Amino acid sequence: MRLDDTFAGAIRFSMMAALRDGVEMDFATLAHVLQANDSAVSKAIAALSDAGYVVSRKGQVGTRPRTWVRATASGERAFEAHVQALRDIVAGGGPDI
């Protein structure tokens, strides 16, 4: 197993953890859960989206625009592999490099 540098940032790591198991969150809820400002959340979404790990969709609730974010299947697999690599490090096995 290998660590994935895409998850090196705390916000990106936490975002993927929050979006596990098919969870989809709107931007404001995600920012609240992550306790991060809008700029940091936007940058994390962009980085994870560029890697193909999350997708976002835009819509409206009433007259207000909203953005929802969810992890992709490949994002979930990559995150699980990253978490397993961390477990291996903690257990003393270290990641395969």
Side-chain angles (χ1 to χ4, degrees):
M1 300 261 156
R2 243 183 124 202
L3 292 173
D4 186 330
D5 289 342
T6 307
F7 306 121
I11 293 175
R12 286 178 275 167
F13 182 90
S14 298
M15 184 177 295
M16 289 303 294
L19 297 174
R20 290 172 87 172
D21 301 324
V23 170
E24 181 179 66
M25 284 191 203
D26 69 88
F27 186 94
T29 301
L30 199 50
H32 177 74
V33 166
L34 300 175
Q35 298 179 344
N37 64 42
D38 290 355
S39 175
V41 174
S42 288
K43 288 177 183 176
I45 291 169
L48 291 168
S49 182
D50 288 347
Y53 293 167
V54 300
V55 292
S56 61
R57 66 178 177 90
K58 296 191 182 284
Q60 286 189 245
V61 175
T63 59
R64 302 190 71 177
R66 292 282 164 95
T67 300
W68 290 270
V69 182
R70 69 172 175 79
T72 63
S74 63
E76 287 195 21
R77 285 190 303 273
F79 185 70
E80 287 303 319
H82 182 79
V83 170
Q84 185 58 53
L86 291 171
R87 286 183 182 122
D88 293 345
I89 292 169
V90 171
D96 295 335
I97 296 178

